[in-house]
Amino acid sequence: MSTSSDSTQPTWSGDEPALTGGTFEIPFTASSDTSEGFETGGCSHLVAVFADAPAREALLNKYKSVIAWHARRIQDTSPPAKRRKVSAPTCGTCNLTLSRPFACLSCSFGGCWSDGHITNHLKEVSHSFCVDTKSGSVFCAECGDFIYHPTIDELYVSTVVLIEEQQTHFQTGKRTREPYQAWVPTNDECAALKDTTVLPCYGRRGLLNLGQTCFFNVILQSFIHNPLLRNYFLGDRHNTRLCKHTDCTCCEMDNLFSEVYSPNQTPFGPTSFLATTWKVSAEVSGYSQQDAHEFFITALNQIHGTCRGSTNISCICIVHQTFAGQLQSDVTCERCGNTTSTVDPMLDISLELKGKSGEVGAENTLAGCLRRFTKPEKLGAKEYSCSKCTKAHEAVKRLSILKLPPVLSFQFKRFEHKTVSKAIPQKIDTPVRFPASINMAPYTTLVMNSSGKDGASSYSGPEAMYDYDLFAVINHEGQMDNGHYTNYARLQDEWYRFDDEK
C-alpha cells in the first residue's frame, strides 16, 4: 500500500513491492484446517472465503499489506516538521482526512467509519470485508459486525512485530533488533509438562486492613499487578528456602505472590510483611497513618537491599531493572549559549499540579503535567553561574527523561503550604485526567533535543518503544491529617477496585 503527495485518496495495494520482497516475508502459520474448527462459532462468510485457496491468499495478502502500511506509518517519532511530506489518507466518499482509516479488503477504497462511508461502499459494490488499520479488526458486511478468526489475529501480531523489528535499530552501531521467535517446546519440555498438574491462578485477592494500613495494602496491590515483579517472584528468582538474609523483604514478596496466586481467594492479612517492614524501617512503623508514596520508596529500597544482584553501581536487581530511569537537566547560559547537562537517577516522577503562578494549571491531565515538567524554566543571575563565562548570568533550565524505565510511576504533588507560617499543609483536590495508555516520546531527551535543532536528524526508534499501558492507580480520599487509600488495578483486560475498608 502506498500514498503519494499528489493523491487525495488512499491506495491499498496488495502487491506493493516493499511487501513482497525478500525483506518482508510473513509466513501464514495457521493452516487451512484452522477455519474448519472455527466454522461453528465464527463468521461463516470468512470460512467460505478461506475454503477457496486463491481467495484466501488474496485476502490475507491484502490484510497484511494494510496492517504493514499502518505499522510503518506510526513508527516515526520525529517532529512533524521533519517528516517526509506525504499526504494523509482521505475518505473516498467525503474526502475528509482519516485519522483512523478503514480499508476495503477487496479493492483500494478507504473510508471513514463514523459517517458509514466504508460500510456503504461494501454494500454498494457487494464487497464483504473491511479492516480497521489501527487495531486490525475485520468487519463483515454480511454479518453486520466485527468478526474474529485466529488466522487473522496471528497475522496481525506477526506483521506488526516484523515491521517494528525492521525499523528498530540501536542508536550506536548497525545492529537491528533481534527477531522474535515463538517458543516451541522440545521433547524433554513436553515430557516434563505432561506430568504437571494445572492449578488455578487468579491473581486477584484482597488484603486485610491490619490497623490503618491502607497505605501499605495499596502499594502491595500495585506490586502484585506489576507484570515484571510478578514474573520475577513467580519464576522462583528468589527462593525463600535458600535465602540467607534476616528480615528479608524479597522473601516477604515471594510469600505474598504465593498467597495471592494460590487457590484460596479469601482476603489475606500480610502480617509477616508488615512486621518485617517495621523492623527494617522505623519511619513507617506503628499504627499511625502513613504516606503511601513514602512507603513505596521504602519498599523499593528494602527489596533492592535484599535482592540478588544488588550493587551500588550499575545495579541489576529487580527494582532497578523495573523502575530505574534517568532524568537529564540542561542549563543553558543566555549570554554565551553554553549548556551544562546533569544526569540523575530516578525511580518515579513527581509532577506539580500548579504552575509558577501558584494557580492550578488549566490542563489538568497527565500530559499537561508532563508538559509543565519539561517546560523550560528561567533562572535568575543569582541562581546560576556559568562555568564557561565564569560569571553569574540568567539561564534557562529544562528537564527531560534521558532513560525511560520499563515501569513508569508518577506521583502528583497534592499537598501545599498556604499559610504564612507554612506549618499547616493542605491538600489540592483538583482532579487529574489520565489515559489508559500514553506515549512518552515527546518528553524524552532524544526527541526534545532533535526537535530543537534545525536540520538535525537523530533516530528515536519506533513509537511502540515509548508506549505505556496503565495497570494500577492509587487514590487518596480525605485531608492531610486523615484519609483513606484505595487502589484500582488491571487484571488482564478487567479493572478491579481494592478497598480494605469494605
Side-chain angles (χ1 to χ4, degrees), residues 172 291 360 436 486:
T172 57
D291 181 69
V360 177
T486 58

Side-chain angles (χ1 to χ4, degrees), residues 119-325:
T119 53
N120 291 339
H121 164 79
L122 297 179
K123 295 177 182 178
E124 291 170 1
V125 297
S126 299
H127 289 168
S128 299
F129 307 104
C130 69
V131 57
D132 176 8
T133 60
K134 183 176 182 180
S135 67
S137 301
V138 175
F139 178 84
C140 176
E142 297 179 72
C143 294
D145 200 355
F146 287 92
I147 59 176
Y148 170 82
H149 195 283
T151 302
I152 296 290
D153 189 56
E154 291 178 12
L155 184 58
Y156 173 78
V157 174
S158 60
T159 303
V160 172
V161 170
L162 184 58
I163 293 298
E164 291 179 357
E165 290 174 353
Q166 289 181 344
Q167 300 201 2
T168 304
H169 59 76
F170 291 89
Q171 295 179 15
T172 57
K174 298 182 179 180
R175 294 181 299 162
T176 56
R177 197 170 86 176
E178 182 178 351
Y180 167 77
Q181 293 182 348
W183 174 66
V184 179
T186 62
N187 293 334
D188 293 339
E189 290 171 337
C190 289
L193 292 172
K194 185 178 180 180
D195 299 329
T196 57
T197 302
V198 179
L199 296 176
C201 291
Y202 298 101
R204 184 183 69 248
R205 190 173 182 183
L207 301 178
L208 295 173
N209 192 314
L210 304 177
Q212 299 196 78
T213 58
C214 57
F215 75 95
F216 181 79
N217 288 342
V218 293
I219 297 299
L220 293 189
Q221 288 289 1
S222 69
F223 287 165
I224 292 169
H225 292 85
N226 186 318
L228 275 71
L229 295 180
R230 176 199 64 202
N231 295 345
Y232 181 86
F233 287 102
L234 290 183
D236 201 27
R237 299 291 298 276
H238 184 93
N239 194 311
T240 56
R241 297 181 180 180
L242 301 178
C243 181
K244 298 180 181 179
H245 291 282
T246 57
D247 299 326
C248 178
T249 304
C250 278
C251 289
E252 297 297 341
M253 288 287 293
D254 187 67
N255 293 331
L256 176 65
F257 275 96
S258 298
E259 288 288 345
V260 170
Y261 281 86
S262 69
N264 187 357
Q265 291 300 294
T266 59
F268 170 67
T271 54
S272 178
F273 203 135
L274 181 64
T276 299
T277 302
W278 286 359
K279 292 178 184 178
V280 297
S281 301
E283 65 273 13
V284 294
S285 62
Y287 288 103
S288 60
Q289 293 186 353
Q290 303 289 345
D291 181 69
H293 180 257
E294 183 179 353
F295 171 66
F296 171 70
I297 298 300
T298 299
L300 293 185
N301 289 332
Q302 292 175 3
I303 297 172
H304 160 74
T306 57
C307 182
R308 185 176 60 181
S310 175
T311 59
N312 293 328
I313 301 176
S314 301
C315 182
I316 57 172
C317 75
I318 184 59
V319 169
H320 286 85
Q321 288 183 11
T322 303
F323 296 98

Side-chain angles (χ1 to χ4, degrees), residues 105-124:
L105 290 178
S106 299
C107 66
S108 61
F109 183 87
C112 52
W113 175 264
S114 58
D115 294 329
H117 295 153
I118 183 65
T119 53
N120 291 339
H121 164 79
L122 297 179
K123 295 177 182 178
E124 291 170 1

Side-chain angles (χ1 to χ4, degrees), residues 7 35 57 102 120 134 225 293 310 319 346 395 439 455 478 498:
S7 64
S35 60
E57 183 178 0
F102 277 75
N120 291 339
K134 183 176 182 180
H225 292 85
H293 180 257
S310 175
V319 169
M346 70 170 190
N439 186 280
F498 295 91

